[in-house]
Amino acid sequence: MSRIHKAFENGKAFIPFLTGGDPDIATTEKLILAMAENGADLIEIGIPFSDPIAEGPVIQEADERALKNGCTTDDLFELVKRVRTKTEVPLIFMTYYNPVFSYGNERFFKNASEAGIDGIIVPDVPFEESDEIRSVSKKYGVDLINMIAPTSDERIEKIAKAAEGFLYCVSSLGVTGVREKITTNVGEMIEKVRKVSDIPCAIGFGISNPEQAHTMAQVSDGVIVGSAIVRLIAESGNEAVEKVSSYVKEMKAAANK
Amino acid sequence: MGEKKGRYGDFGGQYVPETLMPAIHELEEAYNKYSNDPEFKKELTTLLNEYAGRPSLLYYAEKMTKDLGGAKIYLKREDLNHTGSHKINNVLGQVLLAKKMGKKRVIAETGAGQHGVATATAAALMDMECEIFMGKTDTERQALNVYRMELLGAKVHPVSTGTMTLKDAVNEAMREWAGRMDDTLYVLGSVMGPHPFPMIVRDFQKIIGEEIKAQLMEREGRLPDVVMACVGGGSNAMGTFYDFIKDESVKLIGCEAAGEGVDTPRNAATIANGKLGVFHGMKSLFCQNEYGQIDEVYSISAGLDYPGIGPEHAMLNETGRAQYVSITDEEAVSAFEYLSRVEGIIPAIESSHAVAYARKLAPTMSKDQIMVVTVSGRGDKDVAAIARYRGVKIFD
């Protein structure tokens, strides 16, 4: 069993995302450790991709910066290995299928598992196409995290039944990015999950402030924040570690208020 | 797990975010319903014949044939269609389908602008809102087409992410569709993307090959020996090939863009240089680096400037049923000039890639053999760019 279940044993989970290698690998390493120390229950590390079709501008730009600085999949495996010597916080990769597929599914999950990765999110592989990943990831004990979206409706049941680790509940239509308001009734989506599974449900897309974290935590087991953190990293330069640390602390508290 | 849909051998599939899955299922269901509906077929045929000007001519290029001294050459004149390319065939079908589905708005990507212009045209005709995504680089090299789309009432969004070309336009159109699908259909322009698009676009384009077969039968009483077309995503080639796949004596040749050369870093030759990958909703061949990052590709032709190829082409290549060759910018530009002077037909720079290979192949064939080259579009849009390429300064 992966470490992911532990993320949901400490009240409502707070799950920050950052793009690996943005602005560089050394900073990513410091940020991951700081996030873990300040209350992150699980950390999502993005493997940058040239064409991230589910991302809004903030994460697109982070991917571009990381790739321009030469960040590779191998660099991130090495990074995870180093981080694993210092923390037991659950770590998952978020990336698109081509970086995994071209690396070779077998080789990718073997390396990911040895480095200490607990799960993976691949947003451009929907449930119907997920067998070719799951058959390999399972063998190496890496959870394939399924997603449900506001459009999923009757698809929720079958997706939830097959879920591993936790279920990523997409709060809004469109791409990732900060939103002023979340208008979808995410609670209703999660109720549908609850009818068939007790898998932990975490909500992502659009969440940026403590108030939203609190509201979303009321109807779920955790909240995921990506763009707001990536933007904070991009804007804070040398102070990024400090700023992200206090942000994570604040959001974890808000989710559990 | 559910059955895997839309496979062409190992290629194809539906690799899209969960948010979009219900939208592509809705499209698939609607297509299955209407493609067999006599009323829909009748309406579409009327549009194709009365509005787009089908059937397009199959023209015997007598001077070109004599000049090259080999196979008898016929040109399938998709350039004579309304809006100036084969793109209208697919767009009339998809926009009509969107209308039947109760959609009020269509979005599309475009490279050279031909698919964007065709979509804007069909949207104007059928009273739909229309928004077009076009790489910023392409809006600059095809400025005239941007204005054409705006004249037709479409809103054009220049895409300034990534390489700012066709691939980025597709990314942005997919992002837009994921945010708004209740009233919007994404009208994809080529035989690519997630199932059912490769099938739908091929079905709406296969009329090209069906007409070639019937027209040639009437003129020559037999099948051609070779049919060829240019390939970016591959819609005019798929349309040209499809009805001939079962006729094994007919050689199918796709001409892809070698840019400055297949061995240089600046090309868009996916069959020559691509590797198996998963991108833009499909498993197919893509130009990419060792870590699966999609390459920046290059061709003088904005319509062939794409790092992937439709999954059915990838299969035809793998099984050997079709052959794919690469044509450089220089060869394509020479062919552009050649067809203009010899036959008085200015072909699109995309189509010029097929003309270029015809110039190489025809002399190696005998005079009793027949070759059909699809001229997928007309070259008016390219005149300024070709002049620039040749170092001629004109006001554009």
Side-chain angles (χ1 to χ4, degrees):
Chain A
M1 194 183 233
S2 78
R3 298 172 188 82
I4 290 178
H5 65 102
K6 288 186 189 154
F8 298 92
E9 288 170 356
N10 181 27
K12 304 288 183 178
F14 180 68
I15 304 175
F17 165 93
L18 80 179
T19 297
D22 170 41
D24 53 57
I25 294 279
T27 307
T28 301
E29 186 169 342
K30 283 183 211 153
L31 284 164
I32 292 171
L33 294 170
M35 285 170 166
E37 275 167 30
N38 287 281
D41 297 289
L42 184 157
I43 298 165
E44 242 187 81
I45 305 166
I47 301 177
F49 181 50
S50 52
D51 297 85
I53 60 152
E55 312 300 342
V58 170
I59 297 177
Q60 285 176 42
E61 284 163 21
D63 282 19
E64 242 172 75
R65 283 193 298 272
L67 290 173
K68 202 174 265 178
N69 292 339
C71 175
T72 69
T73 309
D74 285 321
D75 292 339
L76 295 178
F77 285 138
E78 290 305 315
L79 164 79
V80 171
K81 262 185 219 167
R82 288 194 299 276
V83 169
R84 260 295 162 250
T85 63
K86 295 169 191 157
T87 175
E88 277 299 302
V89 70
L91 296 171
I92 64 177
F93 276 147
M94 199 309 292
T95 193
Y96 291 79
Y97 192 23
N98 207 46
V100 176
F101 182 83
S102 72
Y103 199 88
N105 287 1
E106 189 76 30
R107 183 169 152 243
F108 183 94
F109 284 103
K110 184 170 185 286
N111 288 0
S113 169
E114 283 172 7
I117 282 288
D118 300 291
I120 187 165
I121 302 172
V122 194
D124 59 345
V125 176
F127 179 69
E128 284 80 352
E129 301 283 1
S130 62
D131 266 3
E132 63 187 84
I133 294 185
R134 200 186 311 271
S135 59
V136 182
S137 58
K138 218 177 187 104
K139 187 164 112 188
Y140 291 103
V142 176
D143 288 336
L144 177 60
I145 310 299
N146 288 344
M147 299 177 110
I148 56 170
T151 49
S152 298
D153 293 331
E154 73 273 19
R155 296 168 52 77
I156 289 179
E157 192 176 313
K158 63 178 174 186
I159 296 172
K161 276 183 182 164
E164 302 166 1
F166 71 94
L167 195 62
Y168 192 125
C169 306
V170 176
S171 77
S172 312
L173 293 178
V175 293
T176 57
V178 172
R179 286 166 172 79
E180 253 172 57
K181 268 189 182 159
I182 291 164
T183 52
T184 308
N185 190 342
V186 197
E188 205 172 285
M189 285 164 63
I190 294 175
E191 276 166 31
K192 286 186 186 164
V193 175
R194 289 287 167 259
K195 283 180 192 155
V196 296
S197 168
D198 56 2
I199 190 94
C201 292
I203 303 174
F205 276 46
I207 301 169
S208 65
N209 60 48
E211 198 188 335
Q212 288 170 323
H214 177 70
T215 312
M216 289 295 133
Q218 299 304 300
V219 296
S220 68
D221 304 303
V223 293
I224 305 165
V225 174
S227 296
I229 290 174
V230 171
R231 195 169 62 189
L232 194 59
I233 295 167
E235 287 171 356
S236 312
N238 292 335
E239 293 168 6
V241 174
E242 196 183 314
K243 292 221 166 135
V244 168
S245 298
S246 49
Y247 179 80
V248 168
K249 201 179 272 180
E250 188 188 8
M251 292 294 276
K252 171 71 183 174
N256 287 280
K257 199 164 62 182
Chain B
M1 306 282 136
E3 81 182 279
K4 292 195 167 191
K5 283 182 178 164
R7 293 279 163 173
Y8 305 90
D10 287 339
F11 308 103
Q14 293 184 305
Y15 298 89
V16 296
E18 172 60 22
T19 306
L20 277 175
M21 281 302 276
I24 64 174
H25 285 156
E26 182 194 3
L27 173 62
E28 192 181 353
E29 277 165 34
Y31 180 70
N32 289 340
K33 178 178 166 194
Y34 288 108
S35 60
N36 293 312
D37 172 25
E39 188 60 29
F40 180 87
K41 286 199 217 171
K42 204 176 119 195
E43 274 180 68
L44 180 56
T45 301
T46 303
L47 283 170
L48 289 170
N49 294 352
E50 306 294 321
Y51 186 70
R54 299 210 74 84
S56 70
L57 295 177
L58 184 70
Y59 167 72
Y60 171 44
E62 192 174 358
K63 285 181 69 194
M64 185 177 172
T65 300
K66 281 191 180 139
D67 181 61
L68 296 175
K72 199 168 180 183
I73 300 167
Y74 282 90
L75 304 178
K76 180 59 173 166
R77 299 288 310 275
E78 292 298 302
D79 59 313
L80 295 178
N81 296 340
H82 180 43
T83 74
S85 82
H86 71 291
K87 294 292 187 187
I88 194 78
N89 306 334
N90 166 48
V91 156
L92 288 174
Q94 282 201 56
V95 177
L96 185 62
L97 185 62
K99 190 106 189 157
K100 300 279 179 200
M101 290 168 75
K103 306 294 180 189
K104 297 190 164 43
R105 176 175 173 261
V106 289
I107 57 171
E109 84 294 343
T110 197
Q114 295 302 88
H115 176 58
V117 167
T119 307
T121 299
L125 179 70
M126 296 186 225
D127 289 318
M128 304 279 257
E129 283 174 53
C130 179
E131 294 185 31
I132 303 293
F133 295 84
M134 187 172 187
K136 193 164 167 290
T137 305
D138 294 337
T139 61
E140 285 157 11
R141 57 181 169 176
Q142 297 287 354
L144 203 59
N145 268 344
V146 174
Y147 194 67
R148 283 171 82 193
M149 289 183 264
E150 288 168 351
L151 270 178
L152 292 159
K155 186 166 184 220
V156 180
H157 300 275
V159 176
S160 56
T161 53
T163 58
M164 304 188 211
T165 59
L166 181 53
K167 135 185 115 73
D168 310 282
V170 175
N171 291 346
E172 215 46 45
M174 282 188 167
R175 289 179 184 126
E176 172 66 23
W177 199 29
R180 186 172 164 187
M181 59 201 91
D182 53 341
D183 69 343
T184 299
L185 183 69
Y186 179 13
V187 173
L188 228 159
S190 195
V191 287
M192 46 156 290
H195 175 73
F197 285 112
M199 172 183 79
I200 291 179
V201 178
R202 175 251 278 154
D203 286 355
F204 286 143
Q205 292 292 359
K206 71 182 181 188
I207 192 166
I208 301 173
E210 290 168 350
E211 284 180 7
I212 292 173
K213 192 181 265 184
Q215 289 165 323
L216 199 67
M217 203 51 84
E218 200 179 305
R219 299 278 288 269
E220 301 277 352
R222 71 172 182 96
L223 291 169
D225 296 283
V226 172
V227 295
M228 61 168 92
C230 64
V231 182
S235 71
N236 93 84
M238 206 60 233
T240 300
F241 294 172
Y242 192 64
D243 201 44
F244 291 107
I245 291 177
K246 58 185 179 295
D247 302 311
E248 282 174 21
S249 67
V250 181
K251 203 167 172 185
L252 313 174
I253 303 176
C255 306
E256 55 177 12
E260 294 177 356
V262 281
D263 303 325
T264 71
R266 280 166 62 80
N267 71 77
T270 309
I271 294 276
N273 292 332
K275 278 192 314 180
L276 188 63
V278 180
F279 181 49
H280 280 165
M282 58 184 170
K283 189 174 277 180
S284 190
L285 299 171
F286 298 96
C287 297
Q288 53 183 305
N289 76 9
E290 60 169 315
Y291 287 104
Q293 307 296 341
I294 303 302
D295 278 343
E296 175 167 2
V297 291
Y298 163 80
S299 162
I300 188 170
S301 144
L304 304 184
D305 195 354
Y306 182 70
I309 189 165
E312 200 164 5
H313 281 295
M315 182 188 74
L316 291 175
N317 175 61
E318 193 175 76
T319 60
R321 179 64 191 91
Q323 180 198 348
Y324 295 83
V325 298
S326 311
I327 296 296
T328 63
D329 283 359
E330 180 59 36
E331 290 169 325
V333 171
S334 297
F336 180 93
E337 294 163 339
Y338 176 84
L339 200 67
S340 302
R341 289 200 193 140
V342 175
E343 292 288 352
I345 295 169
I346 303 178
I349 189 64
E350 289 76 20
S351 323
S352 301
H353 286 70
V355 175
Y357 193 66
R359 290 176 77 192
K360 291 186 188 180
L361 188 64
T364 71
M365 293 169 67
S366 68
K367 288 186 178 174
D368 57 1
Q369 289 185 299
I370 296 171
M371 163 192 287
V372 179
V373 183
T374 297
V375 178
S376 57
R378 67 176 181 227
D380 310 46
K381 69 180 176 56
D382 300 307
V383 170
I386 302 301
R388 264 200 305 277
Y389 181 85
R390 289 299 189 210
V392 178
K393 278 188 186 150
I394 53 171
F395 296 102
D396 66 300

